[in-house]
C-alpha cells in the first residue's frame, strides 16, 4: 500500500482541504477533510480520528461503497518479526511490573473497536442510514473490521500477559442505535470477541460511557465481564437499575464523573458521590470505583488536566474511609 497526502485550496471551500490517498492492490481509497482552525492533526490525515466524523469537516469519507471495502481490507497488514519481538519484550516487562505491585494488565484499550472504526471511516450518519437502506454493505464492512480486531486481540492474548481485553464502544451506544439494530449488527461481533478472550482465560471489558441503559441485557448476552462506563452525570446512567439488571453477571467499573464532579465539585459533593456509588454498586461485589471517563495528567503536577489533584486525593480518602465498611 502506497500512501500520499496533499493540501490544497479548493474554490468554494472556506478552509484548505487535506486529501489522503491509499493506493492498494484492490483500488485507491481517498479521504478528504477540511482543515478547520480546530483540526488537531496538522497537515496529516490519520486513518481514524473523532475529528473526521462530522460531515461538516469530512469532504469525503474513506468508505462509500463496496469497492472501497475491498480496498480497505488491504490496509491491515501483519506485524513484522521485529515488531513482534519488541512487543513480547515490552509485554514481559509489563508482566514483571504488574506482578511486583499486584495489579492487573489491561490490553486493547482504544485500539480494539468495531463500531467506532465504522464511525471514523464513513461517518456515523452514513452508518445509521446503511443499517436500514444498505444492511449488506454495513455487515460486510463490520466483518472486515472484526477480522482485524480478532487478529490484533489474538496476538495480544498469545503473550499470556494480559488479564483483560478492553473493546471501546463510544459509537455503539443507544445514542445512535436502537436495541434492535444493535442486536443485529454489533452484538454477534462482540460475542465473537468475548468468546476468543474467554478461551484464552482473560476477561472481556466493554468501554462505553453513555447510552447504556437500553442495552444492558444485551451486554449480558454477549458475555461482557466488565462494563467500564456507568456514569450517573454525563452518561445519565441509573446506578440502581444498572446494579439490579446486570450486577449479578457484570463487574461495574465507574460510578462517578471526572470532569464535573472532580473538576468543579466541592469536597462535600465529591464525598456524596463516592458514598452513593459505593452504597449502590458495591453490595455483593463486582464493583471498581473510578471517575469517568478518565483522569488526564496535566503539565502541572498539582493538576490532572482540568481536574485539581486535591479533588482526586479527596476521592481516594473518602473511598479508603468508607470502602471497606457498610454504608448506612
Amino acid at each position: 500500500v502506497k500512501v500520499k497526502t496533499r493540501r490544497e485550496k479548493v474554490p468554494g471551500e472556506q478552509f484548505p482541504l487535506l486529501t489522503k490517498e491509499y493506493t492498494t492492490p484492490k483500488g485507491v481509497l481517498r479521504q478528504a477533510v477540511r482543515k478547520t482552525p480546530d483540526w488537531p492533526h496538522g497537515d496529516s490525515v490519520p486513518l481514524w480520528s473523532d475529528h473526521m466524523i462530522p460531515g461538516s469537516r469530512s469532504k469525503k469519507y474513506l468508505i462509500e461503497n463496496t469497492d472501497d471495502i475491498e480496498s480497505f481490507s488491504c490496509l491491515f497488514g501483519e506485524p513484522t518479526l521485529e515488531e513482534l519481538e519488541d512487543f513480547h519484550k515490552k509485554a514481559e516487562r509489563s508482566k514483571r511490573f504488574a506482578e511486583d505491585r499486584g495489579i492487573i494488565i489491561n490490553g486493547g484499550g482504544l485500539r480494539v473497536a468495531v463500531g467506532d472504526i465504522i464511525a471514523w471511516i464513513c461517518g456515523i450518519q452514513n452508518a445509521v442510514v446503511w443499517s436500514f437502506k444498505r444492511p449488506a454493505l454495513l455487515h460486510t464492512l463490520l466483518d472486515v473490521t472484526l477480522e482485524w480486531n480478532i487478529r490484533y486481540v489474538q496476538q495480544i492474548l498469545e503473550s499470556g500477559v494480559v488479564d483483560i481485553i478492553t473493546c471501546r464502544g463510544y459509537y455503539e451506544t443507544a445514542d445512535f442505535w436502537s436495541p434492535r439494530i444493535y442486536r443485529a449488527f454489533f452484538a454477534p461481533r462482540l460475542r465473537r470477541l468475548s468468546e476468543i478472550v474467554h478461551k484464552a482465560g482473560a476477561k472481556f471489558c466493554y468501554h462505553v460511557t453513555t447510552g447504556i441503559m437500553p442495552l444492558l441485557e444485551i451486554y449480558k448476552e454477549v458475555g461482557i465481564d466488565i462494563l467500564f462506563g456507568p456514569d450517573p452525570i454525563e452518561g445519565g446512567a441509573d446506578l440502581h437499575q444498572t446494579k439490579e439488571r446486570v450486577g449479578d453477571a457484570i463487574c461495574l467499573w465507574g460510578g462517578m464523573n471526572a470532569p464535573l464532579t472532580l473538576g468543579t465539585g466541592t469536597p462535600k459533593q465529591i464525598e456524596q458521590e463516592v458514598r452513593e456509588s459505593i452504597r449502590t454498586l458495591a453490595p455483593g461485589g463486582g464493583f471498581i470505583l473510578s471517575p469517568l471517563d478518565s483522569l488526564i495528567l496535566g503539565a502541572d503536577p498539582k493538576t490532572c488536566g482540568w481536574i485539581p489533584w486535591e479533588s482526586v486525593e479527596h476521592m481516594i480518602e473518602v473511598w479508603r474511609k468508607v470502602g471497606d465498611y457498610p454504608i448506612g
Side-chain angles (χ1 to χ4, degrees), residues 49-66:
S49 163
D50 288 335
H51 296 274
M52 297 188 295
I53 294 177
S56 58
R57 185 180 283 116
S58 282
K59 176 73 172 179
K60 183 187 182 304
Y61 289 104
L62 192 68
I63 304 296
E64 295 182 337
N65 52 55
T66 304

Side-chain angles (χ1 to χ4, degrees), residues 256 262 267 270-271 274-275 278 289 309-325:
M256 62 181 299
L262 294 184
I270 293 171
E271 179 169 348
V274 172
R275 285 179 174 272
I278 295 175
L289 177 69
W309 184 245
E310 57 264 27
S311 294
V312 179
E313 290 183 321
H314 183 57
M315 174 193 70
I316 296 172
E317 289 170 3
V318 176
W319 164 75
R320 285 176 172 159
K321 185 191 306 181
V322 304
D324 290 334
Y325 300 95

Side-chain angles (χ1 to χ4, degrees), residues 63 76 85 88 102 107 129-130 155 174 183 193 216 255 283 311:
I63 304 296
F76 304 109
E85 289 175 0
H88 284 289
V129 170
W130 291 351
Q155 288 173 346
R183 192 183 294 277
L193 283 173
L216 287 174
S311 294

Side-chain angles (χ1 to χ4, degrees), residues 12-18 32-39 51 54-60:
E13 288 287 344
Q14 180 181 0
F15 305 105
L17 284 186
L18 300 175
V33 298
R34 298 175 176 92
K35 188 180 180 183
T36 56
D38 55 349
W39 177 250
H51 296 274
S56 58
R57 185 180 283 116
S58 282
K59 176 73 172 179
K60 183 187 182 304

Side-chain angles (χ1 to χ4, degrees), residues 227-232 252-256 277 281 287-292:
L227 179 61
F228 182 92
D231 182 341
L252 302 173
W253 187 345
M256 62 181 299
S277 297
L281 301 178
F287 172 54
I288 302 170
L289 177 69
S290 178
L292 299 168

